[in-house]
Amino acid sequence: MPTREAVLEALGRVIDPELRRPVTELDMVRSIEIENGSVEVTIALTVVGCPLRSSFEEQVAREVGSLEGVEDVALSFDVMTAEERAHLTTKLRGGAEKRKGLSLDASTRVLAVCSGKGGVGKSTVTAALAVALSEQGQRVGILDADIYGHSIPHLLGIDQKPIAVDRMIVPPVKDGLKLMSIGFFLDDNQPVMWRGPMLHKALEQFLSDVHWGELDVLVVDMPPGTGDVAISLGQLLPRAEVLVVTTPQPAAQEVAARAALMAQKTSMRLLGVVENMSGDVFGSGGGERLADDLGVPLLGTIPLDSRIREAGDAGEPLVTPEITSIIERLTELRPGGIVKPLTVLS
């Protein structure tokens, strides 16, 4: 007959799909009942109707069911009390009842993807970069800060809502990627009609109250242009590293240069330029000219390809060889590398 200790050890390999920690570490195991070869486990979920119950069922059946002497496994669910949720929040915050400032670890690399105007494929590039980084084994989060044009949930195929645990927001997870977007809090594609202070507060909350956990990289889909949201992000994430996305034509280059200059003025580090939608329709070479003007590298050129659009519409971003190459350049330009700064114009 299996022992309680063996079952607990097996449950230590059952990972909460959102909090990314073992259920034993999160004090989610409510009870274990063993009778002959039958094992019944009760797990306390953070909220009623947890959308990822099936993940717990599959993991418990696999880990506990593989123990010697176990003939069948039954899993039931309970819900944490308010006191238990408060205790869990404190534990996740490292013992602090209320975290002050950003919830990101100091070692987390922040990559902000920006553009001078909309329609250049910035969000598509953001999603593909995040997926590529995740496929390389890095722990990745995505902040959809494009408040008025939030499209990352659609591009990643995520329609699951965040969960509130006490005063902490747990972001939805897909294939290891954590995502937070204003789109999760709107119904039926409603427009965001907020002024600057409300936008700043929302972004601040996404960076302080959201439980990002241990991340290697946070990829931020910046709003296009140089408006309130972009300035707020520059203030909240002064150590962010910026990639500027542009299409090849001169009109896009001009406005992209303004976004790059704003990033530099808000103390963010400009890494380089990505030329997107390169080819017959928009021409080519504009990204390289912009990079030369700014004194930074051209990180990559992505061709105009219908497969990229189809993959985004299907919620499965396409990681092309060009995206992989950009990731390699970003690795070379990790903090500590030498990147020529922009000249500050009076």
Side-chain angles (χ1 to χ4, degrees), residues 33 204 264 305:
E33 301 292 337
E204 189 175 27
Q264 192 260 356
D305 190 334

Side-chain angles (χ1 to χ4, degrees), residues 88-103:
L88 173 61
T89 301
T90 301
K91 175 177 287 191
L92 291 172
R93 286 173 172 161
E97 291 187 6
K98 176 68 174 176
R99 179 185 289 273
K100 295 181 179 179
L102 303 185
S103 64

Side-chain angles (χ1 to χ4, degrees), residues 49-202:
C50 174
L52 299 176
R53 293 165 65 111
S54 60
S55 175
F56 290 108
E57 293 168 346
E58 293 168 2
Q59 292 186 74
V60 170
R62 180 180 66 249
E63 300 298 340
V64 179
S66 63
L67 293 175
E68 183 178 357
V70 174
E71 297 176 1
D72 61 84
V73 180
L75 174 62
S76 57
F77 295 100
D78 200 350
V79 181
M80 286 185 174
T81 63
E83 292 77 12
E84 288 172 328
R85 287 195 297 272
H87 176 72
L88 173 61
T89 301
T90 301
K91 175 177 287 191
L92 291 172
R93 286 173 172 161
E97 291 187 6
K98 176 68 174 176
R99 179 185 289 273
K100 295 181 179 179
L102 303 185
S103 64
L104 297 175
D105 190 82
S107 62
T108 301
R109 188 179 190 186
V110 180
L111 296 176
V113 184
C114 71
S115 66
K117 65 186 187 67
V120 300
K122 169 184 56 64
S123 297
T124 302
V125 171
T126 301
L129 289 173
V131 170
L133 287 165
S134 181
E135 289 179 349
Q136 290 184 357
Q138 299 200 51
R139 298 166 297 182
V140 183
I142 308 180
L143 172 59
D144 185 4
D146 193 350
I147 299 293
Y148 297 117
H150 47 85
S151 58
I152 297 292
H154 177 83
L155 291 170
L156 292 176
I158 297 178
D159 52 16
Q160 176 190 336
K161 301 291 185 181
I163 291 175
V165 180
D166 199 33
R167 293 181 299 275
M168 182 181 67
I169 304 171
V170 180
V173 180
K174 180 182 179 183
D175 299 330
L177 280 173
K178 298 180 179 180
L179 170 64
M180 182 52 59
S181 171
I182 191 67
F184 292 136
F185 302 94
L186 303 173
D187 295 323
D188 301 323
N189 201 29
Q190 291 295 311
V192 178
M193 302 174 68
W194 294 350
R195 294 186 182 274
M198 293 180 66
L199 295 172
H200 182 92
K201 184 62 179 177

Side-chain angles (χ1 to χ4, degrees), residues 310-324:
E310 292 165 358
D313 287 344
E316 297 289 342
L318 182 64
V319 178
T320 63
E322 292 82 9
I323 290 292
T324 303

Side-chain angles (χ1 to χ4, degrees), residues 184-251:
F184 292 136
F185 302 94
L186 303 173
D187 295 323
D188 301 323
N189 201 29
Q190 291 295 311
V192 178
M193 302 174 68
W194 294 350
R195 294 186 182 274
M198 293 180 66
L199 295 172
H200 182 92
K201 184 62 179 177
L203 293 172
E204 189 175 27
Q205 188 172 12
F206 285 170
L207 291 167
S208 59
D209 292 350
V210 171
H211 176 66
W212 291 105
E214 296 179 350
L215 292 182
D216 295 310
V217 184
L218 176 68
V219 185
V220 183
D221 185 26
M222 297 281 282
T226 57
D228 285 349
V229 179
I231 295 172
S232 293
L233 259 295
Q235 295 171 341
L236 294 168
L237 296 171
R239 61 187 174 90
E241 302 169 88
V242 174
L243 293 73
V244 180
V245 178
T246 182
T247 47
Q249 72 269 35

